[in-house]
Amino acid sequence: MKKKIITGGTIATATDVFKADILIEGEKIVQIGVNLDALEAEVIDATGKYVFPGGIDPHTHLDMPFNNTVTDDDWESGTVAAAFGGTTTILDFCLTAGETKLSDAVEKWHKKAEGKAVIDYGFHLMISDLNEETEKELPLLLEQEGITSVKVFMAYAKEFQATDRTLFKAFKIGKETGAIVMVHCENGSVIDELVEEAIAKGNTAPIYHALTRPPEVEGEGTKRAIELAHVAGATLYVVHVTCKEAVDEIIKAREKGYNVYGETCPPYLTLDQTLLAKPGFEGAKYVWSPPLRPKSHQEPLWNALKAKQLQTIGSDQCSFNFNGKKQLGLNDFSKIPNGGPFIEDRFSVLYSEGVSKGRISINDFVDMISTSAAKIFGLFPQKGTIAVGSDADIVIFDPNIKRTISAETHHMNVDYNAFEGLEVTGEPVSVLLRGEFIVKDKQFVGALGGGKYIKRQLGKGALSTLEAVSN
């Protein structure tokens, strides 16, 4: 593999911003400095551009069955879109509902990715029930597969929702093994009651998806998860935080010294609940869970990110075509498949709305889009930074390009874009995965199956709360 040298760019990490060259040999960064010897190396000119570590998306759902259908982006289209968007590693959720053995579910997810993924990837393991057999199997499986995180739903009562007892058992196993326990924090039983009431009254339009999942039930679920995790002595990661009620509970817990992390997603920072009330059935495009909130919830999310009370930005990629899939709920909002297409725009939207508009610093951006996820889930320093010895996962990013996001130009396999018409500043122009281009001058040059499954080590993730705040 030929050496490469990236010259002329401004390197930005979670802690530094500086001009330097980067020498790549094989899959690794081997030297960082000024006027490096480029003899026999391919020279990559990054003048006028930022050089970022590859994005790490800690929250994706590719080729996932849900609501009697399957997401429209599989491991091919989803990872190609991620690459165009500056993401070089994803952590996808391996669903175990209905599986007798957890290992069978993991094997199924390996087969979904095999021969398709163009970027590196790992798994979170979802837990819906813990019986005597799965409780014995889980610790060994986590170690064998290099999985450092499990996911428990407090929502979707008919599909995935775990009991509080299962949730607490998961926290105990997390404590014993060092695994992070990720929780979708809502009150699924209360939501089901509200949904049934709305439908009985003939309120079937998409807006009622949001109105039957009020912020209070997310806040209540978040507090319950926090306290149960604390009793068990486990580390909690709250996925897709959307509202002030949930943010407030996370901040209070972290101020007490609890090991709690929080993630939010680009749509909650930029879009609001009024979109679900669009005329006709257009609002169905914006149905995902938890739902979009009134605009007043955006500022608390941005403030929490800036204060590092929320640490990561996941896409929660879970795409369903509007035509055919979303229309399954044409006469009943509760049958609209929950999810949206975000994997490609996560990087650019956060840069544009965050850095360009002065809400966060460039270092904060790198931390949220890459470094914190690497540290929390046991990928750092192999991933998540630009340093000697790290994988050469690198994004060359032009901060001056202005473009308008549109389904006509995105690479996701879905017929709409939730950010349609949003003008953003900044775009990835070239992306390297372990030293090889997968996107070069905005053209895909990667290989199907070129992505590797990355094993993580239990106990290597989950910084202490105080350390996470200070970084």
Side-chain angles (χ1 to χ4, degrees):
M1 189 184 292
K2 191 176 182 181
K3 293 180 184 179
K4 295 181 178 68
I5 187 165
I6 301 173
T7 66
T10 299
I11 299 169
T13 70
T15 53
D16 300 294
V17 180
F18 58 99
K19 284 187 173 294
D21 302 334
I22 300 172
L23 182 62
I24 299 166
E25 202 168 325
E27 297 188 345
K28 300 290 185 179
I29 296 169
V30 296
Q31 197 173 356
I32 300 171
V34 180
N35 299 322
L36 297 183
D37 182 4
L39 190 66
E40 298 181 358
E42 176 185 349
V43 177
I44 303 166
D45 185 3
T47 302
K49 299 176 178 66
Y50 279 118
V51 181
F52 293 131
I56 297 172
D57 188 341
H59 192 150
T60 67
H61 302 281
L62 300 179
D63 192 7
M64 186 191 85
F66 185 66
N67 276 39
N68 300 313
T69 186
V70 180
T71 56
D72 282 297
D73 279 296
D74 65 3
W75 283 80
E76 179 178 333
S77 65
T79 58
V80 167
F84 274 102
T87 293
T88 54
T89 304
I90 61 170
L91 297 175
D92 199 81
F93 289 92
C94 171
L95 301 189
T96 59
E99 302 291 341
T100 305
K101 295 177 72 175
L102 299 176
S103 57
D104 291 342
V106 175
E107 182 60 29
K108 184 186 292 184
W109 247 253
H110 277 300
K111 288 178 179 176
K112 288 174 184 284
E114 190 178 349
K116 291 185 176 181
V118 306
I119 62 175
D120 288 350
Y121 59 95
F123 299 145
H124 309 296
L125 185 61
M126 173 236 170
I127 303 296
S128 59
D129 184 34
L130 283 170
N131 54 42
E132 191 174 336
E133 287 185 11
T134 52
E135 282 186 61
K136 287 180 181 176
E137 182 191 13
L138 182 55
L140 184 61
L141 182 63
L142 295 178
E143 186 174 349
Q144 287 177 339
E145 290 289 335
I147 296 173
T148 64
S149 40
V150 297
K151 165 79 173 289
V152 182
F153 284 90
M154 297 170 74
Y156 305 123
K158 297 180 181 68
E159 294 91 3
F160 306 133
Q161 184 176 328
T163 64
D164 280 356
R165 185 169 187 172
T166 294
L167 176 61
F168 188 64
K169 282 183 178 180
F171 283 136
K172 290 202 299 181
I173 291 172
K175 167 65 174 175
E176 291 163 6
T177 62
I180 309 287
V181 183
M182 311 171 75
V183 182
H184 176 138
C185 294
E186 290 185 288
N187 190 317
S189 301
V190 170
I191 288 168
D192 275 8
E193 182 70 15
L194 293 172
V195 168
E196 288 175 15
E197 284 179 7
I199 291 171
K201 292 176 182 176
N203 297 325
T204 60
I207 185 60
Y208 288 96
H209 173 75
L211 299 179
T212 56
R213 304 179 90 105
E216 290 82 0
V217 300
E218 184 183 341
E220 184 273 337
T222 303
K223 180 174 176 56
R224 187 155 35 105
I226 286 169
E227 297 301 346
L228 292 177
H230 178 62
V231 171
T235 299
L236 169 66
Y237 179 102
V238 183
V239 297
H240 50 45
V241 175
T242 77
C243 62
K244 184 178 185 300
E245 286 80 353
V247 167
D248 287 347
E249 295 297 340
I250 291 168
I251 291 173
K252 282 188 285 186
R254 289 176 63 80
E255 286 175 346
K256 292 178 187 176
Y258 292 11
N259 282 322
V260 179
Y261 300 97
E263 162 201 284
T264 191
C265 310
Y268 302 121
L269 296 166
T270 55
L271 308 177
D272 66 71
Q273 185 175 292
T274 59
L275 291 167
L276 283 92
K278 278 191 164 191
F281 193 62
E282 283 291 301
K285 294 177 178 178
Y286 307 93
V287 167
W288 47 77
S289 297
L292 289 174
R293 304 300 186 188
K295 197 172 183 64
S296 60
H297 290 270
Q298 292 176 6
E299 187 175 358
L301 293 175
W302 281 111
N303 289 342
L305 284 169
K306 189 171 184 178
K308 297 190 182 296
Q309 301 290 10
L310 297 177
Q311 291 74 36
T312 62
I313 301 290
S315 68
D316 197 5
Q317 165 75 14
C318 190
S319 58
F320 298 98
N321 277 315
F322 177 66
N323 292 299
K325 299 281 180 77
K326 290 284 189 180
Q327 289 171 339
L328 291 170
L330 194 57
N331 299 309
D332 180 348
F333 71 87
S334 70
K335 294 179 180 176
I336 300 169
N338 279 218
F342 312 116
I343 198 167
E344 187 167 353
D345 299 310
R346 181 184 73 109
F347 205 98
S348 290
V349 168
L350 184 66
Y351 180 86
S352 184
E353 293 293 312
V355 180
S356 288
K357 293 189 176 180
R359 291 182 170 115
I360 57 174
S361 72
I362 195 80
N363 304 115
D364 290 340
F365 166 78
V366 175
D367 201 28
M368 294 166 197
I369 213 74
S370 184
T371 309
S372 277
K375 288 181 176 180
I376 291 168
F377 294 110
L379 290 162
F380 190 85
Q382 179 183 357
K383 307 282 189 185
T385 193
I386 293 176
V388 172
S390 295
D391 283 358
D393 297 347
I394 292 172
V395 177
I396 298 173
F397 186 89
D398 190 332
N400 299 310
I401 293 176
K402 290 187 184 294
R403 63 189 178 92
T404 301
I405 293 176
S406 174
E408 291 184 4
T409 52
H410 74 203
H411 300 86
M412 294 176 286
N413 185 38
V414 64
D415 60 6
Y416 78 98
N417 192 303
F419 299 112
E420 187 74 36
L422 178 68
E423 185 179 82
V424 291
T425 300
E427 181 180 26
V429 291
S430 293
V431 180
L432 292 90
L433 174 70
R434 287 179 279 103
E436 290 294 318
F437 281 106
I438 51 174
V439 174
K440 188 173 186 180
D441 298 325
K442 296 196 276 190
Q443 299 296 314
F444 180 69
V445 294
L448 294 183
K452 286 184 180 178
Y453 177 74
I454 305 295
K455 287 189 174 184
R456 294 115 68 203
Q457 286 187 300
L458 287 164
K460 287 294 182 73
L463 295 172
S464 73
T465 300
L466 294 178
E467 188 179 357
V469 169
S470 65
N471 279 355

